[in-house]
Amino acid sequence: MCQATLVGRRGLAPLLAALLGALALPVFAQADDPLTMSVGAGVQLSGWQGENEGSSETDFDAGGGLLRLNVSLQKGRFYGGLSLTGGRFDFEEGSPDRVGPESSAPPDREATVERGEFDLLLGYWFWERVSLFLDVKSVSNEWQGESYSLRYSGLGAGVSGFVPLAEPWTLFGSFGVVPLTIRALGEDIGDGRGSALEVGVLYRLGQRTSLSFSLKNQHQEYDFDSGADQTHDLGGLAFGITHRLE
């Protein structure tokens, strides 16, 4: 899928603002600070469950996996990053309702949903081990075999940090929140809120390469204009590798 389509009209302004901020890293940082780039990839074994409220009043549950690719820049205390994530989930005993501008379609007993995520971050290490960041987030859920997709996006904020352990291990974590604008069938159909939590450990293989092992969870609450509501929880065990370019 084309990741550019994940950003709706309301998400374009914060996307451009964050992108310009990332490009301005060399300007705001000290001139003698080195600019470093890192690339990474990872997989996440995930479960996706939730509830349809105010419509079919059913639960849903699915298992699947996510693949993540990311690139990041850092200059001094400033950093920016782009992350693309995608995967497929098979709902075998109930699925999320397909909600439109005015009504909801009955949930499929079985459904396959392809999920794509786009994150653009801009952050600053205000303290030696703690940073604050802004996150332009956009997600697309595509129902396979159905002419229905749901997209949501928003500009969020969060905090991240790390604690060195015995070499070569490091404990890390992050938490963020984001207000959401929800679109389906070409229209804004509601809003919501989301949060994301990650806690894990980093293992350094050398000066430039590291492995990560973490637990991740995303929680979203959707408030649709039709009167329906949904809650979603997606999370699991994630593995990744990152390499710093020089």
Side-chain angles (χ1 to χ4, degrees), residues 13 19 29 31 61 96 110 112 115 117 123 128 131 137 142 150 158 176-177 196 205 221:
L19 180 58
D61 190 2
E110 297 182 359
T112 297
R115 182 182 180 92
E117 301 184 21
E128 181 181 1
S131 79
K137 187 173 189 66
E142 304 273 354
L150 182 145
V177 295
L205 295 175
E221 299 179 5

Side-chain angles (χ1 to χ4, degrees), residues 42-46 64-68 85-87 89 115 117 234:
V43 295
Q44 180 180 336
L45 306 177
S46 302
L66 293 169
L67 172 65
R68 184 188 77 255
T85 306
F89 291 82
R115 182 182 180 92
E117 301 184 21
L234 189 153

Side-chain angles (χ1 to χ4, degrees), residues 148-166:
Y148 179 81
S149 64
L150 182 145
R151 294 177 170 85
Y152 63 81
S153 60
L155 175 61
V159 58
S160 66
F162 68 93
V163 177
L165 303 175

Side-chain angles (χ1 to χ4, degrees), residues 17-115:
L19 180 58
L20 290 174
L23 294 175
L25 288 179
V27 176
F28 292 105
Q30 295 294 326
D32 56 351
D33 288 333
L35 177 64
T36 61
M37 174 181 289
S38 299
V39 294
V43 295
Q44 180 180 336
L45 306 177
S46 302
W48 182 355
Q49 55 271 334
E51 298 180 2
N52 297 305
E53 302 173 2
S55 50
S56 65
E57 302 293 342
T58 59
D59 299 337
F60 50 87
D61 190 2
L66 293 169
L67 172 65
R68 184 188 77 255
L69 302 174
N70 62 276
V71 59
S72 61
L73 298 172
Q74 181 162 346
K75 187 173 178 64
R77 290 178 175 265
F78 288 91
Y79 65 90
L82 172 66
S83 176
L84 301 176
T85 306
R88 173 176 293 193
F89 291 82
D90 294 319
F91 294 89
E92 298 180 351
E93 295 185 7
S95 64
D97 287 356
R98 302 186 303 280
V99 181
E102 299 179 356
S103 62
S104 303
D108 293 325
R109 195 63 182 168
E110 297 182 359
T112 297
V113 179
E114 287 195 356
R115 182 182 180 92

